[in-house]
Amino acid sequence: MKLLLGKVLIETNHIEYVERIAPHTVRLFFVSGAKVDVHCGVKSDAAAT
């Protein structure tokens, strides 16, 4: 399965686990050691990093 975050496509099999930080925020932990915070319901003009 693939997850589209804005213009960034993420392979879900690279996600190690997901932690809920706040009601509308989750943190994705990848097998590579990278982390991404995802804020749901928030609009932004910036690309995901």
Side-chain angles (χ1 to χ4, degrees):
M1 190 164 101
K2 296 177 181 171
L3 176 64
L4 183 63
L5 294 175
K7 295 180 180 180
V8 178
L9 186 64
I10 296 174
E11 293 279 350
T12 55
N13 59 345
H14 295 160
I15 297 173
E16 188 170 0
Y17 66 96
V18 178
E19 177 183 1
R20 189 173 189 170
I21 304 297
H24 299 287
T25 304
V26 294
R27 181 171 288 151
L28 305 176
F29 292 87
F30 296 91
V31 293
S32 66
K35 297 185 283 186
V36 173
D37 288 349
V38 179
H39 306 282
C40 304
V42 177
K43 296 197 180 236
S44 174
D45 294 331
T49 56

